[in-house]
Amino acid sequence: DVIEEPFLKLFINYTKILDENLAKIYKEPTLSDNLRNSQKRPLRDAARLECLGTYFQISINDSTLNSPEFLFETNARGKGIKAYLNTENCKIGRNTLHIKTLKTDSLPKKVYDEYVAIPFWYSNKGK
């Protein structure tokens, strides 16, 4: 793809394997019994999104991005998470988006494995 916008949209499918890996590191927040389920869900979702920020390490070329803000999304590809990544440090031409995942058996030390590397081309014509 050729990206001309100031942000690159990232979508990661939310799979059963992802759920299983997150269960190894996700700590369910302690919530008051006085809260209704409709009040608890946003708190649980926020905690899970924070956990995803730990589980995934996102970088463009050699620059690791500090905690991209993940959001839940359902689209034609299914359920997943999305984030918008700033392209201001992209070079004109070929760049590579790297997604790494936390090896859950490496904790408390954080060791990441390459999940996928996606090449893309950047043009600042959209600016």
Side-chain angles (χ1 to χ4, degrees), residues 4 8 10 18-20 29 40-42 51 55 57 59 61-62 71 77-78 102 107 113 117 122 124-126:
E4 295 180 346
L8 173 65
L10 171 65
L18 176 57
D19 221 16
E20 291 169 5
K40 290 179 182 179
R41 184 171 187 90
C51 182
Y55 181 72
Q57 184 181 71
S59 60
N61 301 322
D62 294 332
L71 305 164
R77 293 176 285 186
L102 180 67
L107 294 172
D113 277 338
Y122 178 71
N124 65 358
K125 289 182 181 180

Side-chain angles (χ1 to χ4, degrees), residues 63-75:
S63 300
T64 299
L65 305 176
N66 294 326
S67 303
E69 184 179 347
F70 287 110
L71 305 164
F72 290 115
E73 179 178 277
T74 301
N75 62 29

Side-chain angles (χ1 to χ4, degrees), residues 10-69:
L10 171 65
F11 179 84
I12 301 172
N13 284 327
Y14 199 103
T15 63
K16 194 75 155 166
I17 293 170
L18 176 57
D19 221 16
E20 291 169 5
N21 286 337
L22 287 178
K24 297 174 185 174
I25 61 172
Y26 175 70
K27 292 176 182 64
E28 185 78 28
T30 305
L31 302 173
S32 169
D33 291 336
N34 295 334
L35 294 175
R36 296 194 317 261
N37 283 340
S38 62
Q39 294 170 309
K40 290 179 182 179
R41 184 171 187 90
L43 299 172
R44 285 189 182 122
D45 286 351
R48 188 163 291 253
L49 288 170
E50 186 176 326
C51 182
L52 286 164
T54 300
Y55 181 72
F56 287 107
Q57 184 181 71
I58 311 294
S59 60
I60 295 178
N61 301 322
D62 294 332
S63 300
T64 299
L65 305 176
N66 294 326
S67 303
E69 184 179 347

